[in-house]
Amino acid sequence: MSQVQTKHSQWWLTILMVVALFAVQMPASAKDAVSDAQVLDKGKWAPATYQAVNELITKHGVKSPSYNPDKKPYVVFDWDNTSIMNDTEEALFVYQINHLAYKLTPEEFGKVIRTNVPEGPFADGYKSADGKQVTLDAIAADLESDYKFLYENYKGLKGTKSLEEVTATESFLDFRTKLFFLYEAINETHSTSIGYPWVLYLFTNMTVDEVHKLAESSNDVALGMAIQTETWTSPKALAGKAGVVTASHTTGLRLTSEVGNLMNTFRSNGIDVYVVSASLEDVVRVFATLPKYGYNLPSENVIGMRLAIENGLITNKYQANYPITVGHGKTEVIQSVLEKRYGHGPIFIAGDSNGDFEMMTEQKSVKLALVVNRVKGGKIGQQAAKAAEQLGKNNPSVVLQGRDENTGMWIPTEQTIKLGKSDPQLISK
């Protein structure tokens, strides 16, 4: 054998010995984890976004030589309009309205809809049809009158009439429009930190189990609905103190299989997955944990808004000393719950709205932020613009993922097709 061949054989022998030694020293669980590690399905990912997420998994998952199972990395997803298409909490709000699914007396209802809402008129964009400013007192008075009628007539409350009968009345048409109008007016006038908890107070006097069942029914109905804009106008005959008002919302929910697959891929690569949502924690848990929806998260990995519970019943009080999980409140809850648990912050954040901006930008541990592109302005628009600037560059810190809002499905580009439109758009103009 030549000297060159001898050296070549010795080199290969050394390599094989190192590999064998590594295999012996590696714990069985770690070897199993590496062999079982799932590869992210390409689905309808934008190619550059797919590559960036894959690189993150490779660098921080079980296949990485630096992976430490005693100091596991973790990631955080927003839920509404990130992990699914549209908003599960708002879909449930509409479902509650359409099914009169309340456990409130008229007196309790009147108190609940005023909870923590400042007195006075709403923002200029929330006026009656004749241009008059709508105040909390005016619209609350109209809603109390409507609810009293519905409460006394619907057999699901204290009456004898069927749901079909009562929902055909002008009182119901006035009720549904003005209640949704009030929700939007509160959010736009007083911020989501008031409006997002407010909508949850309508669960008052329910048990958590009753909310779970209501949420599952709402999800299943909304998943079968068309995605479209629905507009309600209150009847002139019941103009009342607030006047005639109009409110619009988007119907339908859609699962996002790419997100479900990403969550499962993270987990199979030794990276823990959490949801931090501005919806009620118990509502999101239904969607995120039930096997039929495909996300498969453990119940304790879902973090969201929390209401105080007294004697087993939900109240119209937010849980004391707990962050309102929107905006900086999302960062707060990650730091107080997850960083305390792990000793470090998340490596990845996925979101879609201004309410997700802070948790994307306030934590130095975040290696990659994914913006599900809704072509929005504001703070999340800044993130989208930053992602657009980094397109085609190595090691981006922010990436975009587009979808077709007409179908609710992702599309393999960073651009999004807005509802009712046909042309894709990258960022808000």
Side-chain angles (χ1 to χ4, degrees), residues 5-7 24-25 41 47 52 76 82 106 109 114 118 132 164 194-195 236 246 270 277 294 328 342 383 397 422 424:
Q5 287 175 318
T6 300
K7 288 182 178 179
V24 169
Q25 292 180 340
D41 188 86
V76 173
T82 298
F109 178 83
R114 288 177 169 85
K132 293 180 180 178
E164 290 73 21
I194 293 176
K236 291 181 180 179
T246 298
S277 174
H328 179 67
Y342 284 85
Q383 282 290 85
S397 60
S422 57

Side-chain angles (χ1 to χ4, degrees), residues 76 78 330-331 334 349-350 356-361 363 366:
V76 173
D78 169 55
K330 289 195 172 188
T331 304
I334 289 170
I349 300 285
D356 303 316
F357 176 80
E358 282 80 6
M359 71 171 175
M360 288 183 176
T361 59
Q363 302 173 100
V366 175

Side-chain angles (χ1 to χ4, degrees), residues 197-322:
W198 176 89
V199 75
L200 310 180
Y201 300 146
L202 292 162
F203 298 130
T204 296
N205 293 334
M206 293 185 186
T207 64
V208 170
D209 188 55
E210 285 172 331
V211 170
H212 283 173
K213 290 176 181 177
L214 202 61
E216 184 176 359
S217 296
S218 171
N219 290 345
D220 292 346
V221 167
L223 285 168
M225 295 174 70
I227 297 177
Q228 60 187 16
T229 301
E230 188 170 279
T231 300
W232 295 336
T233 299
S234 61
K236 291 181 180 179
L238 291 177
K241 293 183 177 181
V244 175
V245 298
T246 298
S248 297
H249 64 279
T250 303
T251 64
L253 295 173
R254 293 294 182 270
L255 305 174
T256 301
S257 59
E258 286 83 2
V259 173
N261 177 253
L262 176 58
M263 289 179 173
N264 288 323
T265 302
F266 272 134
R267 286 197 300 270
S268 90
N269 281 272
I271 301 170
D272 288 342
V273 177
Y274 290 85
V275 165
V276 174
S277 174
S279 290
L280 186 69
E281 190 170 275
D282 292 305
V283 168
V284 178
R285 276 181 175 154
V286 173
F287 228 148
T289 67
L290 287 184
K292 68 179 181 179
Y293 299 123
Y295 296 90
N296 305 312
L297 287 180
S299 179
E300 62 272 17
N301 287 34
V302 178
I303 300 169
M305 298 274 194
R306 295 177 182 175
L307 298 181
I309 295 177
E310 296 176 3
N311 300 317
L313 301 178
I314 292 169
T315 70
N316 62 323
K317 300 172 188 174
Y318 199 75
Q319 182 173 303
N321 303 315
Y322 178 77

